[in-house]
Amino acid sequence: LEGIQLDQTGVHRLEMEVDGTVVARSNPIRCWKNWPKRRVFWGDLHMHSNLSDGLRDPEYIYDFARHVSGLEIAALGDHDTILGKNNSWPRVVELAKQFHQPGRFVTLLGYEYTERTYGSDRNVYYLDDDGPFFNSGDDTPHPDQLYQRLREHGRPAMVIPHCVTGKGNFWEHSDPELCPLAEIYSTHGCSDAYPNDRPLHPLSSQYNIYRPGSSYTDSFKHGLKMGVVGGTDDHGAQPGWGYSWHDYRGGIMGVQMRELTRESLWESLYQRRTTATTGERILLDMTIDGLAIGEEGSASDHPTVTITGEARRGGTLIANVRVNGNSVLPLSGDPQDGTWSYELTLDPNLV
């Protein structure tokens, strides 16, 4: 929408009403007195089209992501094994260029490396307009080979696993430089930690999805330092939404960025300045003894955690904050503007 200006600081949402009923609500808009160092942008890096096993053509998928789901960042994640058979990689490359519009809509070039023996599928992304295509069903069957070939090629690349589970444990075949993030929630369910209230879809049982030690949280025990993203993994032509595929609404990611450009996105992804949600546009910031999301450093034995945010579900303020499933803080912010800020001392036994 062009020409709209806000004259008050705080978090705002635009709503559209038809006959007194709200039919559309915008992403949260945070209005600052002074220009912030970073702002939050929303994206889905895991979209499927009919170039592999999804519905509708990729042009429709990109258009839906931007104009229906209201996303600012998007990437196709079609399966390498099918793209290879159809020789569709050149078209994926051209589409990422075609829909990329810095300042309005940022695309990443990518595909899904479909391997379910050594920790499940991984999505490959490139910073540049072009990049190599390594096929798990042909010339690159092992993820360690993938990492090696990406390095040899030399272009800026990133690999994001989803579910971090499978017949093998992802931490046994990971790369700390190429894998800064993990997709912990999608329309398949949640792999943050087990058990949880959105278990991975039963169809995934064929991949031994609940293997002990295979969750995202378990990966920390083995030295991995991955941030998190959410994605839809949608095959039903609803990127950024994902209701028509499996049991749950798809996820999205929030990214703290200097500006809406591909270079700034890449920087923030590698710095792990990200959040994952189950589809809600939740503005969230958190520090632990002054360390921001994605940063590394030393904390005290009983660190001070500061949490600020704005979150609604159907207009209702979110009720509580949990750490590893343990409820640690009831929220009682202003229901009119939905903003809240709390400080607490974290019990290290909860982490």
Side-chain angles (χ1 to χ4, degrees):
L1 298 175
E2 303 290 346
I4 294 180
Q5 294 183 340
L6 300 173
D7 58 4
Q8 294 183 350
T9 59
V11 177
H12 308 267
R13 292 174 187 257
L14 303 179
E15 294 182 346
M16 178 181 293
E17 291 188 3
V18 176
D19 296 330
T21 300
V22 176
V23 296
R25 181 179 291 112
S26 75
N27 292 335
I29 304 166
R30 180 174 281 163
C31 189
W32 306 79
K33 183 176 181 180
N34 299 308
W35 194 258
K37 185 177 181 180
R38 292 183 180 85
R39 293 174 291 157
V40 174
F41 297 96
W42 304 100
D44 183 1
L45 297 181
H46 200 165
M47 313 185 306
H48 288 269
S49 74
N50 62 12
L51 292 181
S52 62
D53 58 346
L55 301 178
R56 306 297 293 262
D57 60 67
E59 290 87 351
Y60 177 93
I61 301 302
Y62 272 122
D63 187 74
F64 190 102
R66 178 175 178 180
H67 295 112
V68 180
S69 292
L71 299 179
E72 294 138 323
I73 303 162
L76 289 174
D78 281 308
H79 294 280
D80 57 348
T81 50
I82 303 176
L83 292 175
K85 290 179 181 179
N86 298 332
N87 193 29
S88 298
W89 179 241
R91 187 176 177 197
V92 174
V93 172
E94 289 305 313
L95 286 165
K97 295 178 187 177
Q98 175 184 333
F99 283 89
H100 182 57
Q101 190 176 2
R104 287 183 174 271
F105 189 67
V106 170
T107 66
L108 281 182
L109 173 63
Y111 67 92
E112 183 167 337
Y113 177 82
T114 313
E115 184 283 312
R116 292 163 183 168
T117 300
Y118 306 102
S120 197
D121 302 339
R122 298 155 172 83
N123 281 22
V124 180
Y125 303 100
Y126 298 108
L127 171 61
D128 299 334
D129 282 338
D130 201 353
F133 179 71
F134 301 127
N135 191 340
S136 62
D138 183 15
D139 56 0
T140 314
H142 196 290
D144 290 348
Q145 292 176 300
L146 172 67
Y147 304 140
Q148 180 181 349
R149 298 192 70 182
L150 287 171
R151 279 199 173 84
E152 291 173 348
H153 196 275
R155 287 180 181 266
M158 179 182 304
V159 181
I160 300 180
H162 46 98
C163 297
V164 201
T165 55
K167 292 183 178 179
N169 289 322
F170 173 74
W171 49 263
E172 295 176 321
H173 300 284
S174 183
D175 188 294
E177 295 181 5
L178 289 171
C179 305
L181 301 164
E183 181 188 285
I184 65 168
Y185 181 81
S186 72
T187 187
H188 292 279
C190 180
S191 59
D192 179 18
Y194 306 131
N196 63 65
D197 59 1
R198 298 195 185 197
L200 292 165
H201 192 273
L203 288 177
S204 297
S205 62
Q206 61 185 300
Y207 308 130
N208 195 16
I209 210 72
Y210 294 112
R211 177 173 176 167
S214 62
S215 73
Y216 167 76
T217 303
D218 290 319
S219 71
F220 286 104
K221 302 173 185 177
H222 302 279
L224 297 184
K225 299 177 180 179
M226 296 182 293
V228 297
V229 295
T232 55
D233 197 357
D234 173 62
H235 294 62
Q238 293 183 329
W241 200 252
Y243 266 126
S244 66
W245 192 256
H246 289 319
D247 284 347
Y248 312 107
R249 176 180 177 179
I252 59 172
M253 67 173 185
V255 190
Q256 298 179 1
M257 299 163 56
R258 293 180 290 102
E259 57 186 1
L260 188 56
T261 64
R262 189 177 286 171
E263 292 74 18
S264 181
L265 169 61
W266 196 260
E267 174 187 81
S268 291
L269 292 178
Y270 257 105
Q271 292 176 347
R272 300 167 298 196
R273 297 185 182 278
T274 58
T275 57
T277 89
T278 56
E280 303 297 330
R281 270 63 163 173
I282 299 174
L283 291 178
L284 176 69
D285 204 0
M286 182 178 72
T287 61
I288 300 179
D289 280 358
L291 296 171
I293 292 174
E295 290 184 333
E296 294 186 45
S298 299
S300 63
D301 291 339
H302 294 274
T304 298
V305 179
T306 302
I307 304 170
T308 59
E310 193 276 354
R312 295 175 182 270
R313 179 183 291 263
T316 303
L317 187 69
I318 282 181
N320 60 66
V321 171
R322 297 182 181 184
V323 177
N324 284 1
N326 298 281
S327 183
V328 297
L329 187 68
L331 300 182
S332 56
D334 183 353
Q336 297 303 311
D337 62 18
T339 59
W340 38 264
S341 178
Y342 288 94
E343 186 171 289
L344 67 150
T345 300
L346 188 64
D347 181 349
N349 293 323
L350 295 178
V351 180

